[in-house]
Amino acid sequence: MTMMGEFRQFAMKGNVVDLAVGVIIGGAFGKIVDSLVQDIIMPPIGRLFGGLDFANYYLPLNNQAMNLTLVEAKKAGAVLAYGNFLTILLNFIILAFIIFQMIRLMNKLRRAEEAPAVAAAATPEDVLLLREIRDSLKK
């Protein structure tokens, strides 16, 4: 078998295709969560802290003025952009919590499917024989 044939066989396995679909959906879901944090959650939080934009919080490392935006400060030299880090950290926490809830739900559904499969244990043979004896004595 040629190398291309082996690669085609590998790439067409179910696990590889499932992984590719998961990565694509995960990337799109990450963008949704990013938008949720930046456009929905962070503006009210910034408003609570005096109308400040968390994305522009930074510590200058090259004696830049503190009144510059983050983009301008980066052009002037190195900065420690902790506001951007906080936003990305919040993205991660929300995404991790949502994934945790999804896995929790999937495990719960899996357990519900497995429960009926484990039927009540068959009645032992000695109990069946005792029941037959009881029934025949009643007659």
Side-chain angles (χ1 to χ4, degrees):
M1 184 177 272
T2 66
M3 186 171 77
M4 288 302 290
E6 288 180 41
F7 177 74
R8 183 170 175 250
Q9 184 181 9
F10 166 77
M12 297 312 289
K13 286 184 179 178
N15 293 342
V16 175
V17 175
D18 292 344
L19 179 63
V21 171
V23 167
I24 292 168
I25 291 174
F29 189 69
K31 289 180 182 179
I32 291 170
V33 171
D34 188 44
S35 176
L36 172 73
V37 170
Q38 289 182 0
D39 301 331
I40 307 293
I41 295 174
M42 291 311 275
I45 291 174
R47 175 95 177 165
L48 287 173
F49 289 104
L52 299 171
D53 182 15
F54 274 91
N56 283 321
Y57 282 3
Y58 65 91
L59 293 173
L61 299 177
N62 281 349
N63 298 325
Q64 298 97 320
M66 287 295 293
N67 59 351
L68 300 174
T69 65
L70 179 62
V71 174
E72 293 169 344
K74 281 185 176 182
K75 286 180 184 176
V79 295
L80 186 66
Y82 67 89
N84 193 32
F85 174 75
L86 291 175
T87 302
I88 292 172
L89 181 65
L90 187 59
N91 279 354
F92 172 76
I93 290 170
I94 291 172
L95 191 60
F97 180 73
I98 291 171
I99 290 172
F100 168 73
Q101 292 298 331
M102 289 172 35
I103 291 173
R104 189 171 159 228
L105 179 66
M106 288 173 47
N107 287 340
K108 189 176 185 180
L109 292 174
R110 186 175 298 136
R111 275 186 251 122
E113 285 178 2
E114 291 174 359
V118 179
T123 308
E125 190 175 334
D126 57 343
V127 173
L128 290 176
L129 289 172
L130 288 171
R131 286 181 185 166
E132 285 180 28
I133 294 170
R134 181 196 64 202
D135 292 342
S136 61
L137 288 175
K138 282 183 183 179
K139 289 181 184 177

